[in-house]
Amino acid sequence: MPTCILLAPAKINFHLEILGLRSDGFHELAMVMQTVAVADRVTLKLRADRQITITCNRPAVPLDRTNLAHRAVELMAQRFPQAATGVDIDLEKHIPMAAGLAGGSGNGAAVLVGLNQLWQTGATVTELQDLAAQLGSDLPFSISGGTALATGRGEILDPLPTLHQGAVVLGKYRSLEVSTPWAYRTYREQFGSSYPERSNAQQTHAPELIQAIQHRAPAAIGRALYNDLEKVVLPTHRQVAALKAAFSSTNPLGVLMSGSGPTVFAWVENIAQAEEIKAQVGQLLPDPDLELLAAPLCDRGVQIIA
Ligand code: C5P
């Protein structure tokens, strides 16, 4: 049966700013997103019947229709009923889960891109991103990847210059998960009263960071890293705050929590420095529950490899 293999890279946030609460219950955001070279491998194999199955190398991953990969097949079948078939999906996960790295979103995005090829539906990237936005706020970015400013719910994307230099060390406690709805709800409860004066559609978002990206200046990028959700996640999860402090003690260009966490990343000049900081933090926090990954940046989103 026709098969397609895709890579779906992780994303980090260089910037996550909460501007206000929207009428649809989501938050108005300004984010700068970046894909990094840690990727899940997604294999799609068409079936002669209409069944959807999922297999995965990690037992914690749900294999039913709560999985975004499953919902992505249903959405494509709804949009292109003539082309729809069943599909076996295999998820080989390398991205830490429930981590603020858009791993699940990337899997859903890969299914949209892969089925577009296998079903020969001919949807453009923009059409796929419109479908992707129906499944989750991070999925449109997962499709295009690279470096981008994301506004609205996170689905309105403006590409930024590609960064050719720079690398990250990702740190995540395997047993620690942070619920994204919890993080946004808690932020709203604690800081919601300051929304009105901050939400201004005309404002320039993250001007210093964007200038640093335009100049491809890694040190200036490091100084401009910002994430509003740190204000609720770090005080609640002391382990994450301690991990951030451990990263900072190694003097990288910057340290930030990604998305709603709990992954913290150190931003450095190159992969050699990333490997060095990974080793240092591994010695400072010798805990088998702590997963550390060093990776260069990645200049694209979901990619078909076979
Ligand atoms: O869109 P996604 O499914 O990734 O969002 C997960 C949850 O994160 C939402 O249900 C919502 O609670 C919160 N969220 C939000 N505003 C956004 C994006 C996400 O409040 N712009």
Side-chain angles (χ1 to χ4, degrees), residues 38-279:
V38 176
D40 290 346
R41 187 182 163 98
V42 178
T43 304
L44 307 177
K45 193 186 281 181
L46 295 189
R47 295 174 59 102
D49 60 19
R50 297 299 292 260
Q51 274 203 62
I52 303 165
T53 73
I54 304 181
T55 49
C56 184
N57 60 335
R58 296 214 184 136
V61 171
L63 306 179
D64 59 11
R65 76 174 301 276
T66 59
N67 193 308
L68 273 174
H70 194 289
R71 287 170 45 212
V73 182
E74 290 175 336
L75 186 64
M76 281 294 279
Q78 209 182 348
R79 173 69 184 76
F80 302 105
Q82 255 65 347
T85 66
V87 57
D88 292 325
I89 304 168
D90 181 63
L91 304 174
E92 188 184 302
K93 306 253 347 144
H94 298 278
I95 304 172
M97 296 183 306
L101 297 172
S105 298
N107 297 166
V111 169
L112 297 179
V113 172
L115 288 182
N116 190 43
Q117 155 134 332
L118 288 171
W119 290 354
Q120 299 176 1
T121 37
T124 63
V125 171
T126 309
E127 282 166 343
L128 288 178
Q129 286 180 316
D130 286 346
L131 283 174
Q134 295 178 36
L135 294 173
S137 311
D138 284 345
L139 271 86
F141 175 75
S142 292
I143 290 180
S144 48
T147 313
L149 172 68
T151 52
R153 264 167 62 210
E155 86 289 16
I156 303 170
L157 300 172
D158 288 297
L160 290 167
T162 302
L163 295 171
H164 303 295
Q165 264 188 320
V168 293
V169 191
L170 308 175
K172 155 117 194 337
Y173 286 98
R174 291 183 176 85
S175 61
L176 182 62
E177 298 192 350
V178 170
S179 144
T180 303
W182 169 85
Y184 280 101
R185 192 173 60 243
T186 308
Y187 186 90
R188 185 166 72 235
E189 285 161 11
Q190 293 184 12
F191 302 100
S193 56
S194 65
Y195 286 158
E197 55 268 27
R198 295 179 60 190
S199 65
N200 171 1
Q202 297 309 315
Q203 86 188 75
T204 310
H205 303 297
E208 278 141 39
L209 175 64
I210 288 176
Q211 198 179 37
I213 290 171
Q214 278 158 349
H215 290 133
R216 297 193 170 92
I221 292 173
R223 284 193 296 274
L225 299 179
Y226 182 81
N227 184 347
D228 265 333
L229 290 175
E230 284 191 340
K231 293 181 208 159
V232 294
V233 177
L234 298 190
T236 311
H237 298 285
R238 302 307 302 167
Q239 243 184 336
V240 182
L243 177 57
K244 199 176 169 195
F247 269 131
S248 297
S249 75
T250 65
N251 289 318
L253 299 176
V255 185
L256 194 74
M257 187 180 81
S258 183
S260 56
T263 300
V264 170
F265 69 88
W267 163 247
V268 293
E269 297 262 4
N270 53 48
I271 190 67
Q273 284 177 14
E275 291 292 356
E276 211 169 287
I277 285 183
K278 179 184 158 185

